[in-house]
Amino acid sequence: IAAFQKPQSYKDRFLIRQADRLLSIEDQQVAYFRAEEKVVFLHTLDGKKHIVDHTLDELEKLVNPKHFFRLNRQFLATLPSIKGIFNYQSGKLLVEFAKGLEFPEVFVSREKSSKFREWLG
């Protein structure tokens, strides 16, 4: 039966409301999604920030896991947004974002660190 299932299709664009217009942002333009006090923001690689109508849990199911990784409760990031990672205490990893996307102290838990390293390649 599994052979007849349709392959999973992932969301490759996001429709963003800006005042009285709608903006379509492709997934390749996304740096990361960030949850901040029950509001989720889409941050683009060129440094723009937009509100999205999804939770991070919903987005995690909608986006391609080859391109997006759930770093922690606040961040769902793309590979181009990550400049480097550093070992931190207790097996956690500290994520360094690319220039222009800097964010202080974003961590990946010890539990997720091996999957994160594998995802990075």
Side-chain angles (χ1 to χ4, degrees):
I1 295 176
F4 296 106
Q5 288 180 340
K6 186 178 121 183
Q8 171 90 35
S9 63
Y10 298 105
K11 195 165 183 63
D12 58 2
R13 17 183 14 88
F14 299 91
L15 205 55
I16 306 297
R17 267 178 257 187
Q18 275 192 335
D20 59 351
R21 72 181 188 138
L22 294 172
L23 181 66
S24 181
I25 298 177
E26 292 185 30
D27 63 344
Q28 294 109 353
Q29 296 175 284
V30 177
Y32 53 81
F33 294 98
R34 178 172 174 256
E36 184 181 330
E37 297 183 22
K38 299 191 182 193
V39 177
V40 176
F41 294 95
L42 180 159
H43 292 256
T44 59
L45 291 167
D46 62 1
K48 295 186 174 101
K49 178 178 168 181
H50 308 279
I51 293 174
V52 291
D53 292 331
H54 294 287
T55 65
L56 280 186
D57 289 339
E58 291 168 348
L59 287 165
E60 192 174 11
K61 293 172 187 156
L62 291 172
V63 297
N64 189 334
K66 286 183 180 178
H67 306 294
F68 290 84
F69 190 88
R70 181 77 178 260
L71 301 177
N72 54 39
R73 282 183 283 162
Q74 287 96 15
F75 284 87
L76 178 62
T78 62
L79 201 51
S81 70
I82 297 168
K83 181 178 177 183
I85 56 172
F86 298 92
N87 288 320
Y88 199 74
Q89 61 198 27
S90 307
K92 290 197 288 188
L93 298 173
L94 175 62
V95 177
E96 179 185 19
F97 285 111
K99 189 158 179 60
L101 301 172
E102 293 92 352
F103 210 88
E105 300 195 341
V106 175
F107 295 100
V108 175
S109 70
R110 183 183 70 223
E111 294 79 16
K112 286 187 171 186
S113 65
S114 63
K115 277 191 175 184
F116 181 58
R117 284 187 180 109
E118 189 179 306
W119 177 77
L120 284 172

Short mmCIF file of all heavy atoms in Angstrom, two decimals, residues 16-72:
data_model
loop_
_atom_site.label_atom_id
_atom_site.label_comp_id
_atom_site.label_asym_id
_atom_site.label_seq_id
_atom_site.Cartn_x
_atom_site.Cartn_y
_atom_site.Cartn_z
N ILE A 16 2.56 36.36 2.61
CA ILE A 16 2.71 37.28 3.73
C ILE A 16 1.81 38.48 3.51
O ILE A 16 1.78 39.05 2.42
CB ILE A 16 4.18 37.78 3.85
CG1 ILE A 16 5.16 36.59 3.91
CG2 ILE A 16 4.36 38.71 5.01
CD1 ILE A 16 5.01 35.70 5.10
N ARG A 17 1.07 38.86 4.55
CA ARG A 17 0.24 40.06 4.47
C ARG A 17 1.06 41.27 4.90
O ARG A 17 1.68 41.26 5.95
CB ARG A 17 -0.95 39.94 5.42
CG ARG A 17 -2.15 39.37 4.75
CD ARG A 17 -3.25 39.25 5.74
NE ARG A 17 -3.27 37.82 6.05
CZ ARG A 17 -4.17 37.23 6.78
NH1 ARG A 17 -5.12 37.92 7.34
NH2 ARG A 17 -4.15 35.95 6.97
N GLN A 18 1.05 42.30 4.07
CA GLN A 18 1.71 43.57 4.39
C GLN A 18 0.70 44.67 4.15
O GLN A 18 0.45 45.04 3.01
CB GLN A 18 2.92 43.80 3.50
CG GLN A 18 4.17 43.15 3.97
CD GLN A 18 5.38 43.68 3.20
OE1 GLN A 18 5.27 44.14 2.07
NE2 GLN A 18 6.52 43.61 3.82
N ALA A 19 0.12 45.16 5.22
CA ALA A 19 -0.94 46.17 5.13
C ALA A 19 -2.04 45.68 4.19
O ALA A 19 -2.68 44.70 4.48
CB ALA A 19 -0.36 47.52 4.72
N ASP A 20 -2.20 46.34 3.03
CA ASP A 20 -3.28 45.95 2.12
C ASP A 20 -2.80 45.12 0.92
O ASP A 20 -3.52 44.95 -0.04
CB ASP A 20 -4.03 47.19 1.63
CG ASP A 20 -3.12 48.17 0.91
OD1 ASP A 20 -1.89 47.98 0.93
OD2 ASP A 20 -3.64 49.13 0.33
N ARG A 21 -1.58 44.60 0.99
CA ARG A 21 -1.10 43.76 -0.12
C ARG A 21 -0.57 42.43 0.39
O ARG A 21 -0.29 42.28 1.58
CB ARG A 21 -0.03 44.49 -0.93
CG ARG A 21 1.30 44.62 -0.24
CD ARG A 21 2.29 45.39 -1.11
NE ARG A 21 3.60 45.32 -0.49
CZ ARG A 21 4.71 45.12 -1.15
NH1 ARG A 21 4.70 44.99 -2.45
NH2 ARG A 21 5.86 45.07 -0.52
N LEU A 22 -0.45 41.49 -0.53
CA LEU A 22 0.08 40.17 -0.21
C LEU A 22 1.43 40.01 -0.89
O LEU A 22 1.60 40.41 -2.04
CB LEU A 22 -0.87 39.07 -0.66
CG LEU A 22 -2.21 39.03 0.07
CD1 LEU A 22 -3.13 38.03 -0.61
CD2 LEU A 22 -2.02 38.68 1.52
N LEU A 23 2.36 39.42 -0.19
CA LEU A 23 3.72 39.23 -0.69
C LEU A 23 4.01 37.73 -0.68
O LEU A 23 3.73 37.05 0.31
CB LEU A 23 4.68 39.97 0.24
CG LEU A 23 6.16 39.96 -0.05
CD1 LEU A 23 6.44 40.72 -1.35
CD2 LEU A 23 6.90 40.64 1.09
N SER A 24 4.56 37.21 -1.77
CA SER A 24 4.91 35.80 -1.85
C SER A 24 6.42 35.66 -1.68
O SER A 24 7.19 36.25 -2.44
CB SER A 24 4.47 35.24 -3.20
OG SER A 24 4.79 33.88 -3.27
N ILE A 25 6.82 34.87 -0.69
CA ILE A 25 8.25 34.67 -0.41
C ILE A 25 8.58 33.19 -0.63
O ILE A 25 7.97 32.31 -0.03
CB ILE A 25 8.59 35.10 1.03
CG1 ILE A 25 8.31 36.59 1.19
CG2 ILE A 25 10.05 34.77 1.35
CD1 ILE A 25 8.54 37.12 2.57
N GLU A 26 9.56 32.94 -1.49
CA GLU A 26 9.98 31.57 -1.77
C GLU A 26 10.79 31.01 -0.61
O GLU A 26 11.48 31.75 0.09
CB GLU A 26 10.81 31.52 -3.05
CG GLU A 26 10.01 31.84 -4.29
CD GLU A 26 10.82 31.67 -5.55
OE1 GLU A 26 11.74 30.82 -5.57
OE2 GLU A 26 10.53 32.39 -6.51
N ASP A 27 10.73 29.69 -0.44
CA ASP A 27 11.45 29.06 0.68
C ASP A 27 12.96 29.29 0.60
O ASP A 27 13.62 29.35 1.62
CB ASP A 27 11.12 27.57 0.81
CG ASP A 27 11.53 26.73 -0.37
OD1 ASP A 27 11.82 27.29 -1.45
OD2 ASP A 27 11.57 25.50 -0.22
N GLN A 28 13.51 29.47 -0.62
CA GLN A 28 14.96 29.73 -0.73
C GLN A 28 15.36 31.10 -0.21
O GLN A 28 16.54 31.36 0.02
CB GLN A 28 15.43 29.62 -2.20
CG GLN A 28 15.33 28.25 -2.77
CD GLN A 28 14.22 28.17 -3.81
OE1 GLN A 28 13.44 29.11 -4.01
NE2 GLN A 28 14.13 27.04 -4.47
N GLN A 29 14.38 31.99 -0.03
CA GLN A 29 14.66 33.32 0.50
C GLN A 29 14.61 33.35 2.03
O GLN A 29 15.00 34.33 2.64
CB GLN A 29 13.65 34.34 -0.05
CG GLN A 29 13.72 34.54 -1.54
CD GLN A 29 12.61 35.46 -2.01
OE1 GLN A 29 11.46 35.06 -2.11
NE2 GLN A 29 12.96 36.71 -2.26
N VAL A 30 14.11 32.26 2.64
CA VAL A 30 13.93 32.22 4.09
C VAL A 30 15.26 31.90 4.78
O VAL A 30 15.94 30.94 4.42
CB VAL A 30 12.87 31.16 4.49
CG1 VAL A 30 12.75 31.06 6.00
CG2 VAL A 30 11.53 31.49 3.85
N ALA A 31 15.60 32.70 5.78
CA ALA A 31 16.76 32.42 6.62
C ALA A 31 16.32 31.54 7.79
O ALA A 31 16.90 30.49 8.05
CB ALA A 31 17.38 33.71 7.14
N TYR A 32 15.29 32.00 8.49
CA TYR A 32 14.74 31.22 9.59
C TYR A 32 13.37 31.75 9.98
O TYR A 32 12.98 32.85 9.60
CB TYR A 32 15.66 31.21 10.82
CG TYR A 32 16.11 32.56 11.32
CD1 TYR A 32 15.29 33.34 12.13
CD2 TYR A 32 17.37 33.05 11.00
CE1 TYR A 32 15.71 34.58 12.59
CE2 TYR A 32 17.80 34.28 11.47
CZ TYR A 32 16.97 35.04 12.26
OH TYR A 32 17.38 36.27 12.71
N PHE A 33 12.65 30.91 10.72
CA PHE A 33 11.40 31.32 11.36
C PHE A 33 11.72 31.43 12.83
O PHE A 33 12.44 30.59 13.38
CB PHE A 33 10.30 30.26 11.15
CG PHE A 33 9.87 30.10 9.72
CD1 PHE A 33 10.39 29.09 8.95
CD2 PHE A 33 8.94 30.95 9.17
CE1 PHE A 33 9.99 28.92 7.63
CE2 PHE A 33 8.52 30.80 7.85
CZ PHE A 33 9.05 29.79 7.08
N ARG A 34 11.16 32.45 13.47
CA ARG A 34 11.44 32.66 14.89
C ARG A 34 10.15 32.97 15.63
O ARG A 34 9.39 33.85 15.23
CB ARG A 34 12.40 33.83 15.06
CG ARG A 34 12.68 34.15 16.50
CD ARG A 34 13.78 35.19 16.63
NE ARG A 34 13.91 35.55 18.02
CZ ARG A 34 13.46 36.68 18.55
NH1 ARG A 34 12.87 37.57 17.79
NH2 ARG A 34 13.60 36.92 19.83
N ALA A 35 9.91 32.23 16.70
CA ALA A 35 8.73 32.47 17.54
C ALA A 35 9.12 33.46 18.63
O ALA A 35 10.15 33.33 19.27
CB ALA A 35 8.26 31.17 18.16
N GLU A 36 8.26 34.45 18.80
CA GLU A 36 8.51 35.49 19.80
C GLU A 36 7.17 35.87 20.42
O GLU A 36 6.33 36.47 19.76
CB GLU A 36 9.14 36.69 19.09
CG GLU A 36 9.55 37.82 19.97
CD GLU A 36 10.14 38.96 19.14
OE1 GLU A 36 10.72 38.72 18.07
OE2 GLU A 36 10.01 40.11 19.59
N GLU A 37 6.95 35.45 21.66
CA GLU A 37 5.71 35.75 22.38
C GLU A 37 4.46 35.42 21.56
O GLU A 37 3.64 36.29 21.30
CB GLU A 37 5.70 37.19 22.85
CG GLU A 37 6.81 37.49 23.84
CD GLU A 37 6.77 38.91 24.36
OE1 GLU A 37 5.70 39.54 24.32
OE2 GLU A 37 7.82 39.38 24.82
N LYS A 38 4.33 34.18 21.14
CA LYS A 38 3.17 33.65 20.42
C LYS A 38 2.97 34.21 19.01
O LYS A 38 1.95 33.99 18.38
CB LYS A 38 1.88 33.81 21.23
CG LYS A 38 1.95 33.06 22.55
CD LYS A 38 0.62 33.00 23.21
CE LYS A 38 0.79 32.27 24.54
NZ LYS A 38 -0.44 31.87 25.15
N VAL A 39 3.96 34.94 18.50
CA VAL A 39 3.93 35.42 17.12
C VAL A 39 5.14 34.80 16.42
O VAL A 39 6.23 34.75 16.98
CB VAL A 39 4.04 36.97 17.06
CG1 VAL A 39 4.09 37.45 15.62
CG2 VAL A 39 2.88 37.61 17.79
N VAL A 40 4.93 34.31 15.19
CA VAL A 40 6.04 33.72 14.44
C VAL A 40 6.42 34.65 13.30
O VAL A 40 5.57 35.12 12.55
CB VAL A 40 5.68 32.31 13.90
CG1 VAL A 40 6.81 31.75 13.05
CG2 VAL A 40 5.36 31.38 15.05
N PHE A 41 7.72 34.91 13.22
CA PHE A 41 8.26 35.79 12.19
C PHE A 41 9.07 34.98 11.18
O PHE A 41 9.78 34.05 11.55
CB PHE A 41 9.19 36.86 12.80
CG PHE A 41 8.47 37.83 13.68
CD1 PHE A 41 8.42 37.62 15.06
CD2 PHE A 41 7.85 38.95 13.16
CE1 PHE A 41 7.76 38.51 15.89
CE2 PHE A 41 7.18 39.85 13.98
CZ PHE A 41 7.14 39.63 15.34
N LEU A 42 8.95 35.34 9.92
CA LEU A 42 9.78 34.80 8.86
C LEU A 42 10.87 35.84 8.63
O LEU A 42 10.57 37.00 8.35
CB LEU A 42 8.93 34.61 7.61
CG LEU A 42 9.59 34.05 6.35
CD1 LEU A 42 8.51 33.47 5.43
CD2 LEU A 42 10.40 35.07 5.60
N HIS A 43 12.12 35.44 8.76
CA HIS A 43 13.26 36.32 8.49
C HIS A 43 13.88 35.87 7.17
O HIS A 43 14.17 34.69 6.99
CB HIS A 43 14.31 36.21 9.61
CG HIS A 43 13.85 36.75 10.92
ND1 HIS A 43 14.26 37.96 11.40
CD2 HIS A 43 13.00 36.25 11.84
CE1 HIS A 43 13.70 38.18 12.58
NE2 HIS A 43 12.94 37.15 12.86
N THR A 44 14.07 36.81 6.26
CA THR A 44 14.65 36.47 4.96
C THR A 44 16.17 36.60 5.00
O THR A 44 16.72 37.24 5.90
CB THR A 44 14.09 37.38 3.85
OG1 THR A 44 14.39 38.74 4.16
CG2 THR A 44 12.59 37.19 3.68
N LEU A 45 16.82 36.00 4.02
CA LEU A 45 18.28 36.06 3.95
C LEU A 45 18.80 37.48 3.74
O LEU A 45 19.93 37.79 4.07
CB LEU A 45 18.80 35.15 2.82
CG LEU A 45 18.63 33.65 3.10
CD1 LEU A 45 18.87 32.84 1.84
CD2 LEU A 45 19.54 33.19 4.22
N ASP A 46 17.94 38.36 3.21
CA ASP A 46 18.37 39.76 3.03
C ASP A 46 17.99 40.63 4.23
O ASP A 46 18.05 41.86 4.17
CB ASP A 46 17.84 40.35 1.72
CG ASP A 46 16.33 40.40 1.63
OD1 ASP A 46 15.65 39.98 2.60
OD2 ASP A 46 15.81 40.85 0.59
N GLY A 47 17.61 40.00 5.34
CA GLY A 47 17.41 40.72 6.60
C GLY A 47 16.02 41.27 6.86
O GLY A 47 15.81 41.98 7.84
N LYS A 48 15.04 40.95 6.02
CA LYS A 48 13.68 41.44 6.25
C LYS A 48 12.94 40.50 7.20
O LYS A 48 13.27 39.32 7.30
CB LYS A 48 12.93 41.58 4.93
CG LYS A 48 13.55 42.65 4.04
CD LYS A 48 12.71 42.88 2.81
CE LYS A 48 13.26 44.05 2.03
NZ LYS A 48 14.06 43.64 0.90
N LYS A 49 11.91 41.04 7.86
CA LYS A 49 11.17 40.29 8.88
C LYS A 49 9.67 40.45 8.62
O LYS A 49 9.20 41.57 8.43
CB LYS A 49 11.56 40.87 10.25
CG LYS A 49 10.89 40.30 11.44
CD LYS A 49 11.47 40.98 12.68
CE LYS A 49 10.68 40.69 13.91
NZ LYS A 49 11.22 41.36 15.09
N HIS A 50 8.96 39.33 8.60
CA HIS A 50 7.52 39.33 8.32
C HIS A 50 6.80 38.40 9.29
O HIS A 50 7.33 37.37 9.67
CB HIS A 50 7.24 38.84 6.89
CG HIS A 50 8.02 39.53 5.83
ND1 HIS A 50 7.66 40.75 5.32
CD2 HIS A 50 9.16 39.18 5.19
CE1 HIS A 50 8.54 41.11 4.40
NE2 HIS A 50 9.45 40.18 4.31
N ILE A 51 5.56 38.73 9.62
CA ILE A 51 4.73 37.87 10.46
C ILE A 51 4.11 36.79 9.58
O ILE A 51 3.66 37.08 8.47
CB ILE A 51 3.63 38.68 11.17
CG1 ILE A 51 4.25 39.65 12.17
CG2 ILE A 51 2.64 37.75 11.87
CD1 ILE A 51 3.26 40.59 12.83
N VAL A 52 4.10 35.54 10.06
CA VAL A 52 3.44 34.45 9.34
C VAL A 52 2.28 33.92 10.18
O VAL A 52 2.29 34.04 11.40
CB VAL A 52 4.40 33.29 8.98
CG1 VAL A 52 5.39 33.71 7.94
CG2 VAL A 52 5.10 32.75 10.19
N ASP A 53 1.30 33.34 9.49
CA ASP A 53 0.10 32.82 10.16
C ASP A 53 0.21 31.34 10.49
O ASP A 53 -0.74 30.59 10.28
CB ASP A 53 -1.13 33.05 9.27
CG ASP A 53 -1.48 34.52 9.13
OD1 ASP A 53 -1.19 35.29 10.07
OD2 ASP A 53 -2.03 34.90 8.09
N HIS A 54 1.34 30.91 10.96
CA HIS A 54 1.55 29.51 11.35
C HIS A 54 2.36 29.47 12.64
O HIS A 54 3.14 30.38 12.91
CB HIS A 54 2.36 28.75 10.29
CG HIS A 54 1.68 28.58 8.98
ND1 HIS A 54 0.63 27.71 8.79
CD2 HIS A 54 1.90 29.17 7.78
CE1 HIS A 54 0.25 27.77 7.53
NE2 HIS A 54 0.99 28.65 6.90
N THR A 55 2.20 28.39 13.39
CA THR A 55 3.07 28.16 14.55
C THR A 55 4.34 27.47 14.03
O THR A 55 4.36 26.95 12.90
CB THR A 55 2.40 27.24 15.58
OG1 THR A 55 2.23 25.95 14.99
CG2 THR A 55 1.06 27.80 16.06
N LEU A 56 5.37 27.43 14.85
CA LEU A 56 6.59 26.72 14.44
C LEU A 56 6.32 25.23 14.27
O LEU A 56 6.88 24.59 13.38
CB LEU A 56 7.72 26.92 15.46
CG LEU A 56 8.48 28.24 15.37
CD1 LEU A 56 9.65 28.23 16.34
CD2 LEU A 56 8.98 28.52 13.97
N ASP A 57 5.45 24.66 15.10
CA ASP A 57 5.10 23.24 14.97
C ASP A 57 4.45 22.97 13.61
O ASP A 57 4.76 21.99 12.94
CB ASP A 57 4.17 22.79 16.09
CG ASP A 57 4.88 22.70 17.44
OD1 ASP A 57 6.13 22.60 17.46
OD2 ASP A 57 4.18 22.71 18.47
N GLU A 58 3.54 23.86 13.19
CA GLU A 58 2.89 23.71 11.88
C GLU A 58 3.92 23.85 10.76
O GLU A 58 3.95 23.05 9.82
CB GLU A 58 1.80 24.77 11.69
CG GLU A 58 0.60 24.59 12.57
CD GLU A 58 -0.34 25.80 12.58
OE1 GLU A 58 0.03 26.89 12.08
OE2 GLU A 58 -1.45 25.63 13.10
N LEU A 59 4.78 24.87 10.87
CA LEU A 59 5.79 25.11 9.83
C LEU A 59 6.74 23.93 9.70
O LEU A 59 7.13 23.55 8.60
CB LEU A 59 6.58 26.39 10.14
CG LEU A 59 5.81 27.68 9.90
CD1 LEU A 59 6.51 28.84 10.55
CD2 LEU A 59 5.62 27.92 8.41
N GLU A 60 7.10 23.34 10.83
CA GLU A 60 8.03 22.20 10.81
C GLU A 60 7.48 21.05 9.97
O GLU A 60 8.23 20.34 9.31
CB GLU A 60 8.29 21.75 12.25
CG GLU A 60 9.42 20.77 12.39
CD GLU A 60 9.74 20.46 13.84
OE1 GLU A 60 8.95 20.82 14.74
OE2 GLU A 60 10.77 19.82 14.07
N LYS A 61 6.16 20.89 9.96
CA LYS A 61 5.52 19.84 9.17
C LYS A 61 5.33 20.26 7.70
O LYS A 61 5.25 19.41 6.82
CB LYS A 61 4.16 19.48 9.77
CG LYS A 61 4.29 18.81 11.12
CD LYS A 61 2.95 18.65 11.77
CE LYS A 61 3.14 18.12 13.19
NZ LYS A 61 2.01 18.44 14.04
N LEU A 62 5.28 21.56 7.45
CA LEU A 62 5.03 22.08 6.10
C LEU A 62 6.28 22.20 5.23
O LEU A 62 6.20 22.15 4.01
CB LEU A 62 4.37 23.46 6.17
CG LEU A 62 2.94 23.52 6.69
CD1 LEU A 62 2.52 24.98 6.89
CD2 LEU A 62 2.00 22.82 5.74
N VAL A 63 7.43 22.41 5.85
CA VAL A 63 8.66 22.68 5.10
C VAL A 63 9.48 21.40 4.90
O VAL A 63 9.35 20.43 5.64
CB VAL A 63 9.52 23.77 5.77
CG1 VAL A 63 8.79 25.09 5.82
CG2 VAL A 63 9.97 23.33 7.16
N ASN A 64 10.35 21.43 3.91
CA ASN A 64 11.19 20.29 3.58
C ASN A 64 12.30 20.13 4.64
O ASN A 64 13.12 21.04 4.81
CB ASN A 64 11.80 20.47 2.20
CG ASN A 64 12.51 19.25 1.69
OD1 ASN A 64 12.99 18.42 2.46
ND2 ASN A 64 12.57 19.13 0.38
N PRO A 65 12.36 18.98 5.32
CA PRO A 65 13.37 18.80 6.36
C PRO A 65 14.81 18.74 5.83
O PRO A 65 15.75 18.87 6.59
CB PRO A 65 12.98 17.47 7.02
CG PRO A 65 12.10 16.78 6.05
CD PRO A 65 11.46 17.85 5.22
N LYS A 66 14.97 18.62 4.51
CA LYS A 66 16.32 18.71 3.93
C LYS A 66 16.83 20.14 4.00
O LYS A 66 18.03 20.39 4.03
CB LYS A 66 16.32 18.26 2.48
CG LYS A 66 16.20 16.78 2.28
CD LYS A 66 16.28 16.47 0.80
CE LYS A 66 16.16 14.99 0.56
NZ LYS A 66 16.18 14.68 -0.87
N HIS A 67 15.90 21.10 3.98
CA HIS A 67 16.28 22.51 3.92
C HIS A 67 16.08 23.27 5.24
O HIS A 67 16.65 24.34 5.43
CB HIS A 67 15.48 23.23 2.83
CG HIS A 67 15.60 22.58 1.50
ND1 HIS A 67 16.77 22.51 0.78
CD2 HIS A 67 14.68 21.92 0.74
CE1 HIS A 67 16.58 21.86 -0.34
NE2 HIS A 67 15.31 21.48 -0.39
N PHE A 68 15.24 22.74 6.13
CA PHE A 68 14.92 23.41 7.39
C PHE A 68 15.18 22.48 8.58
O PHE A 68 14.91 21.29 8.49
CB PHE A 68 13.44 23.81 7.42
CG PHE A 68 13.07 24.92 6.48
CD1 PHE A 68 12.79 24.64 5.15
CD2 PHE A 68 13.00 26.24 6.91
CE1 PHE A 68 12.44 25.65 4.26
CE2 PHE A 68 12.65 27.25 6.04
CZ PHE A 68 12.38 26.96 4.72
N PHE A 69 15.68 23.06 9.66
CA PHE A 69 15.92 22.28 10.88
C PHE A 69 15.39 23.05 12.08
O PHE A 69 15.66 24.25 12.21
CB PHE A 69 17.42 22.00 11.07
CG PHE A 69 17.71 21.01 12.16
CD1 PHE A 69 17.74 19.66 11.89
CD2 PHE A 69 17.92 21.44 13.46
CE1 PHE A 69 17.99 18.73 12.90
CE2 PHE A 69 18.17 20.53 14.48
CZ PHE A 69 18.20 19.17 14.20
N ARG A 70 14.68 22.36 12.96
CA ARG A 70 14.15 22.97 14.18
C ARG A 70 15.27 22.99 15.21
O ARG A 70 15.63 22.00 15.81
CB ARG A 70 12.95 22.15 14.68
CG ARG A 70 12.29 22.70 15.93
CD ARG A 70 11.41 23.91 15.60
NE ARG A 70 10.73 24.42 16.76
CZ ARG A 70 9.47 24.16 17.07
NH1 ARG A 70 8.73 23.38 16.29
NH2 ARG A 70 8.93 24.68 18.13
N LEU A 71 15.87 24.17 15.39
CA LEU A 71 17.00 24.31 16.30
C LEU A 71 16.57 24.16 17.76
O LEU A 71 17.26 23.54 18.56
CB LEU A 71 17.67 25.68 16.12
CG LEU A 71 18.20 26.00 14.72
CD1 LEU A 71 18.75 27.42 14.68
CD2 LEU A 71 19.24 24.99 14.29
N ASN A 72 15.44 24.79 18.09
CA ASN A 72 14.92 24.77 19.46
C ASN A 72 13.47 25.26 19.44
O ASN A 72 12.88 25.33 18.37
CB ASN A 72 15.80 25.64 20.38
CG ASN A 72 15.96 27.05 19.85
OD1 ASN A 72 15.03 27.64 19.33
ND2 ASN A 72 17.15 27.60 19.98
#
